[in-house]
Amino acid sequence: MSQDAEQETLFKSPKRLIIAVIAGFLIPITVIGLIISYVHNISLPGAGTDAMSASSVTQRIAPVAQVAIQELPASAISEVTDKSTSSSESANETAIAAAIAAIPSAASAAAGQGSGAGSAAAQPGKVLYTQICQTCHATGLAGAPKFGNKADWAPRLKSPKSEIYQIALKGKGGMPPKGGSNATDEEVKAAVDYMLKAVK
């Protein structure tokens, strides 16, 4: 039997030919649709979960920790003052290390207290002084002039204010530039003004 004769018997009527053409299109399209549906359902969370809800997503992308900066308590400041009374360089280094070590414990001790942001906003420079400058200026650490001590500040007050700003911005002696902070120049100048206001 030849191929032509075989095709004639297979598609004797036009009805069978139409069914074969339609099946030739529908079967692959159906298979592709089922594969897409299967892949799509694999990536979705199981029924009844709220994994994609707004609260769940917010919880997953929330920061791991938050930073709270607080003032040093008087006990930590007095401890640093006691350690910094020696005039030797190693004693100053020890006192600096003690002051830096006291910062985390002071912050955790004051975590439950109010932040006092409203009063700090009323006095420009107080925030930076509280966060950074008071570590040395509250105790006179490494030769820093003590906050509110007119005798310590007297020689510095003889200089123009612009020179005092430059010392604060660029550092001098044991003081690093900007007190070791990432503050802007304006914030540093405001902290200087805040300390100078306390001795005038």
Side-chain angles (χ1 to χ4, degrees), residues 25-200:
F25 282 111
L26 287 181
I27 291 173
I29 290 173
T30 305
V31 170
I32 290 171
L34 290 172
I35 291 172
I36 290 171
S37 175
Y38 175 73
V39 169
H40 181 68
N41 285 335
I42 287 175
S43 65
L44 293 178
T49 66
D50 61 347
M52 298 306 287
S53 69
S55 62
S56 296
V57 171
T58 304
Q59 185 179 8
R60 283 196 305 272
I61 65 171
V64 176
Q66 294 179 350
V67 177
I69 299 174
Q70 303 289 331
E71 290 186 29
L72 285 175
S75 61
I77 293 172
S78 64
E79 179 183 329
V80 172
T81 305
D82 294 341
K83 290 183 179 180
S84 67
T85 55
S86 174
S87 62
S88 72
E89 192 172 311
S90 63
N92 275 340
E93 289 174 6
T94 306
I96 290 170
I100 291 170
I103 290 173
S105 62
S108 62
Q113 299 173 358
S115 64
S119 63
Q123 298 179 341
K126 183 176 182 179
V127 172
L128 183 61
Y129 171 80
T130 302
Q131 293 172 351
I132 304 295
C133 306
Q134 81 173 359
T135 302
C136 296
H137 286 282
T139 62
L141 191 63
K146 291 182 185 176
F147 181 79
N149 187 324
K150 291 184 180 185
D152 285 355
W153 283 93
R156 289 154 180 93
L157 292 174
K158 292 177 184 174
S159 302
K161 199 177 215 181
S162 61
E163 188 175 317
I164 298 171
Y165 286 151
Q166 288 305 310
I167 291 171
L169 293 170
K170 295 184 180 179
K172 182 177 180 182
M175 179 182 164
K178 296 183 179 181
S181 72
N182 294 328
T184 64
D185 289 359
E186 290 75 26
E187 290 171 331
V188 173
K189 288 177 181 179
V192 170
D193 290 340
Y194 174 73
M195 289 189 276
L196 291 176
K197 186 178 177 183
V199 292
K200 287 189 177 180

